[in-house]
Amino acid sequence: MSLFGEIVEPTSRTTWEDWDDDFAQNPFNTQLEWLTPLESNGNIKTTFILEGRYLSNCIKQAQELAEPISSIDSVNLKLYKLKTDNVLVCTIQDYDLLQSSDIVEALRPVVSKSNNVISLLTKPLPDYQSTSLDSSMCIVRKLSTTTAQDNQFNFKNLEQPNIISGVSAGVTFLREHLNLPATVLVYYVDFSNDYVEEINCQLEKLKLIETSKRIHNNILSSNLYI
């Protein structure tokens, strides 16, 4: 008998997608709220988006440079302000990609008022696609909005078919829509290392960490990235 046009129930639960049950139990239909309501910070010079566990921990080790403003703990989103300048630093890690749009919307009051937005994002080195062979343990590429003046970053542009997703991508797209400058620095790194020189040098240049406070931890050696 032909089953064409009929509705057939799956014979095993293994035919369901992994995320079906989670989405049914936890639909993302609630608005994210900051633990402390965001106040007007006046003229925000720059907002930094540090996405990923490695980058997020740089602020934890530089508490003398930045002070916490607010957070949304359900998505591991934290916002800091540098003590020496009107610069904001946002860290985000271990969040569900399905909530990216909600997180970007929560950040809209900040990123829409900033003179500039710079995002740093880490991705596994095997994710980088290129026709040329490169034996580097860290490959850096940048992606900028039309109005960005990113001469300070001497990196090649991110080539197709490579893409970025998540909060950094959403914030950059929002800035492009608002005709505002934004730049994403994508670090393709070998996660078997627990220390990435290129990232630490960039954080120092951006004055987000001090030389004496370089990141030394074993986060990137976690089996999460294997």
Side-chain angles (χ1 to χ4, degrees), residues 43-180:
N43 183 31
I44 304 174
K45 181 179 178 181
T46 304
T47 294
F48 291 97
I49 308 292
L50 305 182
E51 184 169 349
R53 300 181 69 188
Y54 185 86
L55 288 164
S56 296
N57 277 269
C58 78
I59 294 298
K60 293 181 181 179
Q61 299 190 28
Q63 291 293 336
E64 70 279 4
L65 297 180
E67 56 185 359
I69 295 178
S70 190
S71 64
I72 303 178
D73 295 336
S74 61
V75 291
N76 297 312
L77 177 66
K78 300 183 184 300
L79 187 64
Y80 302 84
K81 180 183 181 299
L82 294 191
K83 297 178 180 180
T84 58
D85 206 346
N86 198 12
V87 172
L88 301 183
V89 181
C90 169
T91 65
I92 178 74
Q93 62 174 324
D94 302 332
Y95 65 94
D96 196 309
L97 281 177
L98 295 177
Q99 291 184 281
S100 297
S101 297
D102 294 331
I103 297 172
V104 173
E105 192 61 29
L107 286 170
R108 179 188 282 266
V110 172
V111 298
S112 62
K113 294 179 181 178
S114 300
N115 295 337
N116 193 18
V117 171
I118 299 174
S119 301
L120 278 72
L121 170 68
T122 57
K123 292 176 69 69
L125 187 59
D127 285 359
Y128 179 69
Q129 301 184 51
S130 175
T131 56
S132 60
L133 297 177
D134 194 325
S135 59
S136 302
M137 305 303 288
C138 179
I139 297 175
V140 188
R141 293 293 183 265
K142 68 179 178 181
L143 188 65
S144 305
T145 60
T146 306
T147 58
Q149 297 180 351
D150 51 9
N151 296 330
Q152 67 181 113
F153 303 118
N154 188 26
F155 302 118
K156 296 180 180 178
N157 292 327
L158 185 66
E159 319 97 318
Q160 295 180 346
N162 297 291
I163 62 172
I164 62 171
S165 59
V167 173
S168 294
V171 167
T172 305
F173 180 81
L174 174 61
R175 296 280 293 185
E176 175 71 18
H177 176 71
L178 298 175
N179 198 33
L180 296 171

